[in-house]
């Protein structure tokens, strides 16, 4: 298992993740995603959304505001826990009264400027509530789903069972943030609230546990590095009937990657009671109203991204030299194709490489790079997990070759094998390669010998 320092160092060196406010000495609990990191994390979120929303007919999406009516937090039980007025500072160990912290933030210069944009006492109350939520660390997305249950039901004409998916920022007052992006105070969650007929909840819960487990394997997590952990009865939240974590073998040991809980009908009933609006479902078959049970698979975008990175990290020895390679699943890789000219002083090679890169970019995220020798360029792309490199050489352009006669070399990241293909078939071959068919392509076109 790779140690975390290597991951942190690669992430900084190659533009994946930087420490927040680094030039000011850094902020330990916050991280910024760099140019490749943002592509990578967007891919994690996009694949989660595609697989859980677009590829299912029993799921819709939602993007609810974190700032909500104060009563929402009362109903959800968050405000009750907020009445504990003390909050501890993890760095200095001192305790502060939560309302004093709110005052301090409220009176800060930045916040006063912000206030000016939102005048009036009502706005002040809303912002104050948002700050309270932040301090309490419960900028929770699921509540937005529950309070929109009826809106979604009515507007989308959904029938049970169906789910609502959200991706969004969460804030938590973690006392011990750490282990890189594993535990931070600001992070992103990918959550589903799946509504089912009571009585079918246990079966649906199990289905979701199985589905979510397989999802991580589908995108490259090795079987031996992932497991399920059943919550003990005394660990369960008071409203939860059962909860199972998907755990990953992170460098610091087995830790939670995703939690999948059966939340029963608790949330909908609470919001019905506090809002006075019945959050029910009318079952056409039985002609009866019912309050659905909820299965909640809650994953972290940052934690998933970290697990994918850790699992993809490989060090190998190639011809006596160390090769670091991120064997990321193609769909997760931040850059899909790197187009590399073999001779950067040859104008025709450079021009052809740039032109083909621009063509490929219309379909896949491709980059052009001529800032080093080919060996170093390959190593760089291996380290960031680029599945394919396309090289352009003297034979590609020849003396007077027309584009139709151009031939390119495609190199596979994992096997380091190369095939030579014509310009006309470049895009269709890329289609095959993006579908994971390197072996088939190599068989048809023959492996190129160095
Ligand atoms: P933990 O036990 O690690 O504190 P949790 O059980 O409180 O997590 P949930 O409330 O179930 O977490 O949140 C769902 C998911 O959100 C977690 O499985 C994790 O992937 C992610 N997550 C939770 N807290 C953090 C955090 N502080 N930093 C990064 N990701 C987090």
């Amino acid at each position: 298992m790779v140690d975390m320092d290597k991951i942190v160092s690669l992430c900084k060196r190659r533009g994946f993740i930087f420490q927040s406010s680094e030039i000011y000495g850094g902020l330990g609990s916050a991280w910024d995603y760099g140019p490749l990191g943002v592509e990578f994390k967007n891919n994690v979120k996009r694949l989660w959304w595609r697989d859980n929303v677009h590829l299912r007919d029993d799921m819709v999406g939602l993007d609810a505001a974190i700032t909500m009516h104060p009563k929402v937090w009362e109903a959800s039980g968050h405000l009750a826990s907020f009445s504990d007025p003390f909050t501890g500072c993890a760095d200095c160990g001192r305790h502060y009264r939560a309302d004093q912290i709110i005052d301090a933030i409220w009176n800060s210069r930045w916040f006063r400027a912000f206030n000016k944009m939102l005048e009036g006492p009502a706005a002040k109350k809303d912002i104050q509530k948002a700050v309270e939520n932040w301090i309490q660390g419960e900028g929770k997305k699921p509540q937005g789903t529950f309070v929109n249950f009826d809106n979604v039901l009515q507007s989308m004409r959904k029938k049970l069972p169906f789910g609502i998916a959200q991706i969004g920022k969460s804030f938590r007052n973690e006392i011990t943030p750490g282990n890189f992006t594993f535990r931070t105070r600001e992070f992103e969650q990918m959550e589903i609230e799946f509504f089912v007929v009571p009585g079918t909840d246990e079966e649906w819960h199990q289905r979701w546990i199985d589905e979510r487990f397989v999802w991580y394997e589908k995108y490259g997590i090795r079987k031996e590095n992932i497991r399920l952990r059943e919550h003990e009865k005394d660990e369960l939240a008071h409203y939860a009937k059962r909860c199972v974590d998907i755990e990953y073998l992170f460098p610091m040991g087995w830790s939670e990657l995703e939690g999948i809980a059966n939340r029963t009908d608790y949330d909908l009933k609470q919001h019905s009671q506090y809002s006075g609006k019945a959050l029910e479902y009318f079952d056409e078959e039985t002609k009866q109203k019912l309050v659905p049970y909820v299965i909640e698979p809650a994953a972290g975008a940052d934690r998933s991204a970290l697990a994918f990175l850790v699992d993809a990290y490989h060090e190998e020895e190639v011809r006596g030299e160390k090769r670091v390679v991120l064997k990321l699943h193609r769909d997760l890789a931040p850059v899909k194709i790197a187009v590399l000219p073999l001779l950067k002083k040859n104008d025709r090679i450079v021009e052809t490489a740039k032109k083909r890169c621009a063509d490929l970019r219309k379909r896949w995220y491709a980059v052009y790079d001529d800032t080093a020798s080919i060996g170093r360029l390959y190593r760089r792309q291996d380290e960031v997990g680029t599945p394919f490199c396309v090289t352009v050489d003297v034979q590609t352009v020849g003396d007077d070759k027309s584009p139709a006669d151009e031939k390119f070399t495609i190199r596979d990241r994992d096997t380091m094998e190369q095939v030579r293909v014509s310009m006309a078939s470049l895009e269709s071959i890329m289609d095959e390669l993006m579908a994971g068919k390197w072996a088939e392509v190599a068989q048809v076109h023959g492996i190129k010998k160095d």
Side-chain angles (χ1 to χ4, degrees), residues 302-450:
D302 308 81
R303 249 185 225 184
S304 302
L306 182 60
F308 286 125
L309 273 181
V310 168
D311 224 77
Y313 185 94
H314 284 78
E315 286 180 9
E316 301 172 347
E317 206 175 290
V318 177
R319 294 191 202 107
E321 274 189 45
K322 186 172 101 176
R323 173 172 99 121
V324 173
V325 51
L326 276 189
K327 294 189 176 175
L328 287 172
H329 187 284
R330 298 170 303 281
D331 293 348
L332 285 172
V335 175
K336 310 296 184 208
I337 307 166
V339 182
L340 315 170
L342 243 64
L343 283 176
K344 69 171 171 183
K345 292 210 176 93
N346 180 316
D347 289 347
R348 290 201 60 193
I349 289 182
V350 168
E351 193 191 318
T352 303
K354 285 187 174 165
K355 210 185 281 167
R356 295 304 153 235
C357 185
D359 289 344
L360 290 167
R361 215 174 249 162
K362 290 176 195 154
R363 298 278 314 279
W364 304 280
Y365 186 34
V367 297
Y368 168 88
D369 193 359
D370 66 5
T371 56
S373 65
I374 189 70
R376 289 187 64 166
L377 292 178
Y378 278 153
R379 270 206 296 281
R380 222 181 259 172
Q381 295 302 332
D382 286 345
E383 259 196 314
V384 302
T386 306
F388 306 107
C389 289
V390 170
T391 52
V392 181
D393 54 37
V394 180
Q395 285 149 30
T396 306
V397 293
D399 283 336
D400 52 2
K401 267 194 187 146
S402 71
D405 298 327
E406 290 172 359
K407 282 207 160 201
F408 301 85
T409 300
I410 307 175
R411 173 190 181 263
D412 174 55
R413 176 196 67 200
D414 297 344
T415 59
M416 290 183 286
E417 291 171 349
Q418 303 185 359
V419 293
R420 209 155 163 82
V421 304
S422 69
M423 156 74 197
S425 55
L426 186 59
E427 200 171 313
S428 62
I429 286 175
M430 275 300 165
D431 266 322
E432 288 187 64
L433 295 184
M434 292 300 168
K437 296 187 180 160
W438 176 263
E440 288 89 332
V441 168
Q443 200 175 16
V444 172
H445 294 271
I447 307 271
K448 189 182 152 220
K449 302 270 179 289
D450 279 340

Side-chain angles (χ1 to χ4, degrees), residues 140 172 174 181-184 187 189 191 256-259 298-300 303:
K140 279 209 140 192
R172 227 171 261 185
E174 298 284 8
T181 54
F182 177 83
R183 191 181 302 286
T184 49
F187 56 99
Q189 285 184 313
E191 295 194 311
E256 178 181 334
L257 192 54
E258 168 162 354
R303 249 185 225 184

Side-chain angles (χ1 to χ4, degrees), residues 8 17-20 27-33 180-181 183-184:
V8 176
I17 302 173
F18 310 122
Q19 193 173 27
S20 164
L27 187 67
S29 61
W31 300 90
D32 299 337
Y33 286 81
F180 198 24
T181 54
R183 191 181 302 286
T184 49

